[in-house]
Amino acid sequence: MTTAPAIELRGISKAFGPVQANKDISIRVERGTIHGIIGENGAGKSTLMSILYGFYKADAGEIFIGGSKTEIPDSQAAIAAGIGMVFQHFKLVENFTVLENVVLGAEDGRLLKTSLSKARSELKALASDYGLNVDPDAVIETIGVGQQQRVEILKALYRQADILILDEPTGVLTPAEADQLFRILGRLKSEGKTIILITHKLREIMEITDTVSVMRRGEMTATVKTAETTPTELAELMVGRKVLLRVDKAPAQPGAPVLQIDGLSVTDSAGVQRLKDVSLNVRAGEILGIAGVAGNGQSELLEVLGGMRTATGRITMNGQPIDLTGKQSDGQSRRARGIGHVPEDRQREGLIMAYSAWENSVFGYHRDPRWQKGALMDNAGIESAAQEQMDRFDVRPPNPRLAARNFSGGNQQKIVVAREIDRNPDLLLIGQPTRGVDIGAIEFIHKQIIALRDEGKAILLVSVELDEILSLSDRVAVMFDGQIMGEGPAETATQVGLGCLMAGLGGDDTRDMTGWRITDAATIEEGTPDVARIEAQLADRHADASKEV
Amino acid sequence: MDRMPPWADALLVPLISLVLAAILSALVIIGIGEDPVAAVTLMVKGALGSTYGWGYTLYYATNFIFTGLAVAVAFHARMFNIGGEGQAMLGGLGVALVCLYLPLPHWTVALVAAALGAAAFGAAWAYVPAVLQARRGSHIVITTIMFNFIAAALLNYVLVNLLRPKGAMDPATAKFPEGTHLPTLHDMLAPVGIEFSKAAPANVTLLIALLACLAVWLLIWRTRLGYEIRAFGHSETAARYAGISPVRITVVAMLISGGLAGLMALNTTMGEAERLVLNSVEGAGFIGIAVALMGRSHPLGVLMAAILFGFLYQGGAELALWTNIPRELIVVIQALVILFTGALDNMVRMPLERLFLARRKKEG
């Protein structure tokens, strides 16, 4: 049987000003397959999908859906053509129920009730067909992230989507939730749906796709059968050269404790306790990695240490206590105490996007008398220092006058990392160092972090990427629900064990992690927890957390 | 990168907006049976055709420079200070108190003292909304506009009950003493041999306004405080990350903004009326918003926009004087300019941006 491909793109090009985001891209996505699209940040994946979903208009090229040429001027047309999109950031109305969200925008008639009851029966059918079980009457803000994602998928299916595009779907999920998602995707595939999965995670590509297309610098460099390729080959195709997936580093030579945290607690403005009696220490010359699913208190920990949030408890830096609530608890005082901070969100925190690179190169250190010239700032001096710094940290393009927003994610991050490392801090806080950063820059940033460690500095690393935690850290601590679940050497940590701790569970899987101290909070559950139970627990915790908000 | 060239952003966009406003104004003038070409000629001649006209145009422009700068500074900290009106009123009170009650030997001393008084009173009037915003989250737009009404009522009370000379019939202070009278452009230009109209109110305050432009430029782009104000304006989270106190920046930016608005009173109260009258601000506080928008919150842009609005004010007055175009219609024309240059900025900007992108693509 010869069927037309579900989607065929021919010669798609799209430019934004001088930037060629998509260059003559042709791709065939066969019906009933899972097709992965992988590429570095800025490779043009999102642009391509936006063209397919009618957000952008291609400068050249043709789109064929199910064999017939189709114009997609807007997302309404994309939906009509049977394309559904699940965005990385969900587009759900938080205080609506699942049912209301599914119907939103697809109501028929003036009365809501008929649409809702029709949708209810349809949801039931979809749930049994694809294993997409969600309580239709649950309010979005009370259900977990994984469940919310299912609602997004249901929305697309309710609109008769035959082709589903998922943009970085696992970014916010726990390993267990991701597994569940993959099972659903497998089910959808077996029912004849076509799925396009955009991701930068090689493991996911290998795990569930049938075919994979690699994009680099706006071009489609290869389309291969997943079964006939290897992660290493894909990584090479992505960056166009051999890359190190492992980080080379010598064993740590830890010295005296630099940072000591004792009984740290944080309650946010809504009265929710975000950190519960956290105790940790980081020694000179070691990297402590904090693993955990996003939103379990890691951000708050960084914010307290970086002087962006007040807290109770006791923190000492080189033996001297630091102020947690008073006048000395701001970012300026922290920097004066030798704490450098690469924040989790460089675009909202670490950089002023409208500022030029040189202005950003002193952001947070702009009060340094070095940059004063009488009553004014020494702009010329800052600019030449920034130029020199950009050359050393290989920021591209090396133009200090360019606004931060005009740099790619990786180069933005390099600007932040360069600024913080160049102050030679005793302690470097570093949050999500490589989020949205391309592989080339990841390598560079990782090397900088290790070099700083080898100089005998203490480093506190927070990342939601388990691979990153495991490859960089000397010691690892896992956070869940504002508490430390366990802590131990990175060598003996296992993916499965960490996964359980990240879900707030102890149990057998953590037993063989020698040298690990598992806290009481994590040891309530005994025996090997099955995925379903972890899931249920997670959903509960998510629900609790969001209710409190 | 997806930007049009800076000259288009700074000049072409306002220019097109102005042309659109002019076309619409012309239609309105035709609609009431008058000749738009004659009207424009009259406006240009009345506002720019003589030193008398220039004297008035620059006098109004001086007011708008101060209020425009006031709004611009607050804009940089992402605050919408629409209390320029009230802050300028209070500035007038500061000028009056200094001029009436301090023994001032010479106008130079008086100018400095009155400037301090005006800025202090204007800043004080902005301080309360600023603190309410910074500490309590009360929206600055709401509080500053309410403070305009309070300022008007307060001034009314002070002028009628406290400062009005015995027996005087109008709510105004006594004439300021001779030593506080500021030299007009006529006085200043006569020694260098330039004949400038004696009747025009433009005075030495114009130079203070130009200095203020320079000072604001230095403050915003060359000092640490300006760096922090702009950073806070772009992203409060990032400011907090960098250890910039949101409370401090909010208050300081509003104090500077209020002080600049207050300085406007030098021109009206000390320079022109030489006494404090009830309605000396005449809406200049609100025009300042349009001036700052049109001038893209840049002192140079504010200066040019202020001169444009000075021209519209003076030209409009001439129109009302010499044609059958009623006074109200002048306000309509001014409003159209504000609407197009301020509120509808994006209407021109977006298509123009697309045009430039399309052209660049063709070249590339």
Side-chain angles (χ1 to χ4, degrees), chain A residues 91-134:
Chain A
K91 304 198 182 303
L92 297 170
V93 183
E94 294 263 300
N95 54 353
F96 272 22
T97 63
V98 170
L99 200 59
E100 287 166 333
N101 266 290
V102 168
V103 170
L104 186 69
E107 310 92 343
D108 27 42
R110 282 178 195 283
L111 288 177
L112 201 53
K113 210 173 165 193
T114 49
S115 308
L116 286 178
S117 57
K118 181 177 149 245
R120 186 182 297 275
S121 57
E122 203 143 322
L123 275 193
K124 209 176 271 175
L126 288 171
S128 64
D129 284 355
Y130 303 109
L132 279 161
N133 291 308
V134 193

Side-chain angles (χ1 to χ4, degrees), chain A residues 168-171 178 181-182 197-209 226:
Chain A
E168 301 281 0
T170 59
L181 171 71
F182 292 162
L197 179 71
I198 303 169
T199 181
H200 63 272
K201 294 181 183 161
L202 291 167
R203 202 175 336 123
E204 291 172 6
I205 289 286
M206 297 311 294
E207 211 168 299
I208 68 159
T209 63
T226 311

Side-chain angles (χ1 to χ4, degrees), chain A residues 28 61 137 166-167 211-212 221 245 253 283 378 386 448 511:
Chain A
R28 279 169 68 100
D137 296 313
L166 291 102
D167 189 5
T211 318
V212 53
T221 50
L245 279 181
Q253 316 263 316
R283 290 169 295 177
D378 180 14
Q448 295 293 332
R511 290 250 166 80

Side-chain angles (χ1 to χ4, degrees), chain A residues 16 19 308 330 332 335 341 343 348-349 352 354-355 359 362-364 366-367 372 376-377 379 405-406 419-420, chain B residues 1-3 218 221-224 226-228 230-231 234-235 237-244 248 357 360-361:
Chain A
F16 296 103
V19 182
M308 298 171 70
D330 67 337
Q332 292 290 332
R335 286 177 178 84
H341 183 189
R348 281 183 59 242
E349 298 169 347
I352 298 286
Y355 273 11
E359 283 175 302
V362 292
F363 191 52
H366 55 275
R367 287 172 167 265
Q372 277 310 106
L376 304 181
M377 281 179 98
N379 288 1
R405 70 162 89 81
N406 292 332
R419 178 180 73 209
E420 300 302 322
Chain B
M1 236 170 263
D2 295 334
R3 292 282 148 98
L218 281 172
W221 279 282
R222 286 292 179 271
T223 68
R224 202 163 63 188
Y227 180 94
E228 296 192 345
R230 283 182 297 135
H234 284 299
S235 164
T237 340
R240 225 152 24 90
Y241 158 79
I244 298 168
R248 180 176 154 267
L357 281 181
R360 196 176 307 167
K361 206 180 302 161

Side-chain angles (χ1 to χ4, degrees), chain A residues 5-257:
Chain A
I7 295 180
E8 186 175 3
L9 303 178
R10 284 189 201 156
I12 297 281
S13 290
K14 172 79 188 167
F16 296 103
V19 182
Q20 189 79 32
N22 282 167
K23 247 178 280 179
D24 191 26
I25 289 183
S26 298
I27 179 177
R28 279 169 68 100
V29 178
E30 300 298 338
R31 192 175 295 278
T33 62
I34 299 183
H35 193 116
I37 294 185
I38 193 163
E40 292 185 295
N41 271 83
K45 301 171 299 207
S46 299
T47 306
L48 188 65
M49 289 307 121
S50 297
I51 289 169
L52 193 51
Y53 201 62
F55 282 164
Y56 298 137
K57 194 180 166 346
D59 300 333
E62 295 171 322
I63 300 172
F64 294 83
I65 309 281
S68 56
K69 189 166 184 290
T70 312
E71 293 286 333
I72 304 181
D74 53 33
S75 54
Q76 288 297 325
I79 292 167
I83 300 174
M85 182 119 175
V86 176
F87 293 94
Q88 194 175 0
H89 303 286
F90 306 146
K91 304 198 182 303
L92 297 170
V93 183
E94 294 263 300
N95 54 353
F96 272 22
T97 63
V98 170
L99 200 59
E100 287 166 333
N101 266 290
V102 168
V103 170
L104 186 69
E107 310 92 343
D108 27 42
R110 282 178 195 283
L111 288 177
L112 201 53
K113 210 173 165 193
T114 49
S115 308
L116 286 178
S117 57
K118 181 177 149 245
R120 186 182 297 275
S121 57
E122 203 143 322
L123 275 193
K124 209 176 271 175
L126 288 171
S128 64
D129 284 355
Y130 303 109
L132 279 161
N133 291 308
V134 193
D135 173 10
D137 296 313
V139 177
I140 294 297
E141 58 196 2
T142 65
I143 62 177
V145 189
Q147 299 258 316
Q148 292 185 5
Q149 193 171 51
R150 283 186 207 172
V151 178
E152 284 284 5
I153 297 173
L154 282 170
K155 264 169 68 180
L157 295 177
Y158 183 71
R159 285 160 181 71
Q160 316 289 330
D162 274 325
I163 302 158
L164 266 183
I165 306 170
L166 291 102
D167 189 5
E168 301 281 0
T170 59
V172 288
L173 303 183
T174 60
E177 282 174 319
D179 280 346
Q180 188 73 27
L181 171 71
F182 292 162
R183 236 171 294 150
I184 291 169
L185 293 183
R187 190 89 170 258
L188 286 165
K189 179 179 110 173
S190 65
E191 299 287 331
K193 304 279 183 196
T194 308
I195 291 157
I196 298 179
L197 179 71
I198 303 169
T199 181
H200 63 272
K201 294 181 183 161
L202 291 167
R203 202 175 336 123
E204 291 172 6
I205 289 286
M206 297 311 294
E207 211 168 299
I208 68 159
T209 63
D210 302 301
T211 318
V212 53
S213 295
V214 184
M215 288 190 74
R216 169 157 49 103
R217 291 188 190 164
E219 289 177 86
M220 194 65 85
T221 50
T223 296
V224 290
K225 288 258 174 286
T226 311
E228 296 162 9
T229 185
T230 63
T232 332
E233 188 193 3
L234 286 178
E236 277 174 38
L237 283 169
M238 267 165 73
V239 291
R241 64 189 162 84
K242 295 235 178 229
V243 285
L244 290 166
L245 279 181
R246 297 295 305 179
V247 183
D248 286 328
K249 58 170 184 164
Q253 316 263 316

Side-chain angles (χ1 to χ4, degrees), chain B residues 2 5 14 26 78 112 132 141 150 154 190 195 203-204 215 245 280 294 307 335 337 340 351:
Chain B
D2 295 334
R78 195 173 284 174
V112 173
L132 286 174
V141 167
I150 302 174
L154 177 71
E195 197 58 47
N203 57 75
V204 67
S245 155
S280 62
M294 192 175 175
I307 291 173
V337 172
F340 275 92

